Amino acid sequence: MILHVPALLKREQVAEARRALDRAEWVDGAGSAMGVVADVKKNHEIPSHHPVSQQIGKMIFAALQNNVTFVTRALPIRICPPLFSRYVGGAGETYGEHTDGGLFQMPSPNLPMRGDLAATVFLCSPDEYEGGELTIHDTFGSHSVKLPAGDMIVYPASSLHKVEPVTGGKRFVGFFWAQSAIRDDSKRSLLADLDRAIEECNAAGPNNPGIMRLHGVYNNLLRIWAET
Ligand code: NI
């Protein structure tokens, strides 16, 4: 499931994030990559303990908690603190094809977290940079993603993906990983479809006993499949 969340951040929040990013110290992004992935990662990041990471991370975290689309479709139970990266056009920065880590260590509380979902929050407009599309491969083919500032894309962390070389301007994004209550992407997609169908049936004609029965089916499937 690839989930587009429009306007996760408001315009003024994106502006605040960009002001903070401008005064942060950026370091080589390869330093936070493990093993073979470090060889294909050519960008810059802000260290996770940096005050700017924590400030904008809190803003994104609050927005996630209040976003019904993200909460109901992704069914997150653990979320890593967001990190931030910058790709500079003149340097041809890029992140070659890779798959994200399967296990992460959350800093607070200090718990392991399975990386089911990866998310990118766009912190600049598509017209501020050239290239830099996020390309995600899934069973239906390749998807090229370049979204308005403030939008978010959520996709399976198990998928092969890359950031195309940035050939002009600068690309700023936030990114994080989440553990979902539903580990299996196909089951999570099925639940999302069912939830959406219930919403659409309810909008078309509320107070139908069948809708309440479907609502029960949704929750009973959740009870069978959810891991906490
Ligand atoms: Ni990745």
Side-chain angles (χ1 to χ4, degrees), residues 95 98-100 155 161 177:
Y95 197 160
H98 66 282
T99 299
D100 293 341
Y155 55 100
H161 57 273
W177 294 275

Side-chain angles (χ1 to χ4, degrees), residues 187-211:
K187 289 178 179 167
R188 200 182 317 113
S189 299
L190 194 65
L191 285 171
D193 275 347
L194 179 55
D195 189 39
R196 189 168 170 183
I198 293 168
E199 282 172 13
E200 287 170 352
C201 288
N202 198 46
N207 302 321
N208 181 328
I211 294 172

Side-chain angles (χ1 to χ4, degrees), residues 125-137:
S125 302
D127 57 8
E128 288 183 76
Y129 59 102
E130 288 142 37
E133 295 84 356
L134 171 65
T135 302
I136 304 164
H137 304 288

Side-chain angles (χ1 to χ4, degrees), residues 37 41 87 95-101 118 120 134 155 157 159-163 175 177:
V37 174
K41 190 176 182 187
Y87 295 75
Y95 197 160
E97 250 166 24
H98 66 282
T99 299
D100 293 341
T120 298
L134 171 65
Y155 55 100
S159 64
L160 200 58
H161 57 273
K162 65 177 172 179
V163 177
F175 59 98
W177 294 275

Side-chain angles (χ1 to χ4, degrees), residues 11-225:
R11 184 189 295 242
E12 55 271 24
Q13 289 178 306
V14 173
E16 182 187 334
R18 286 293 293 279
R19 283 194 297 273
L21 294 179
D22 282 343
R23 61 172 193 272
E25 296 98 44
W26 295 85
V27 299
D28 185 355
S32 67
M34 306 267 266
V36 292
V37 174
D39 296 338
V40 298
K41 190 176 182 187
K42 294 177 174 47
N43 66 3
H44 285 79
E45 289 179 355
I46 304 175
S48 57
H49 58 269
H50 193 288
V52 165
S53 293
Q54 299 192 357
Q55 175 198 340
I56 315 173
K58 274 184 196 161
M59 178 202 290
I60 290 177
F61 198 72
L64 291 173
Q65 288 181 308
N66 291 317
N67 190 283
V68 175
T69 303
F70 176 69
V71 170
T72 59
R73 303 291 184 253
L75 299 167
I77 52 172
R78 288 180 190 161
I79 300 174
C80 270
L83 295 168
F84 300 89
S85 62
R86 183 189 73 186
Y87 295 75
V88 178
E93 292 188 332
T94 183
Y95 197 160
E97 250 166 24
H98 66 282
T99 299
D100 293 341
L103 267 184
F104 296 90
Q105 192 68 30
M106 301 216 331
S108 175
N110 190 16
L111 287 172
M113 190 200 91
R114 197 181 57 237
D116 293 322
L117 297 166
T120 298
V121 182
F122 288 79
L123 297 173
C124 55
S125 302
D127 57 8
E128 288 183 76
Y129 59 102
E130 288 142 37
E133 295 84 356
L134 171 65
T135 302
I136 304 164
H137 304 288
D138 68 8
T139 50
F140 299 104
S142 296
H143 308 269
S144 180
V145 182
K146 193 170 189 177
L147 295 175
D151 282 21
M152 175 172 72
I153 196 86
V154 183
Y155 55 100
S158 56
S159 64
L160 200 58
H161 57 273
K162 65 177 172 179
V163 177
E164 305 290 348
V166 174
T167 55
K170 288 180 186 168
R171 175 187 190 266
F172 293 93
V173 295
F175 59 98
F176 63 88
W177 294 275
Q179 179 173 331
S180 174
I182 307 297
R183 176 200 298 236
D184 186 281
D185 184 60
S186 60
K187 289 178 179 167
R188 200 182 317 113
S189 299
L190 194 65
L191 285 171
D193 275 347
L194 179 55
D195 189 39
R196 189 168 170 183
I198 293 168
E199 282 172 13
E200 287 170 352
C201 288
N202 198 46
N207 302 321
N208 181 328
I211 294 172
M212 198 53 75
R213 193 179 296 276
L214 281 174
H215 179 72
V217 169
Y218 173 88
N219 279 294
N220 288 333
L221 284 174
L222 201 53
R223 229 180 303 281
I224 293 167
W225 289 339

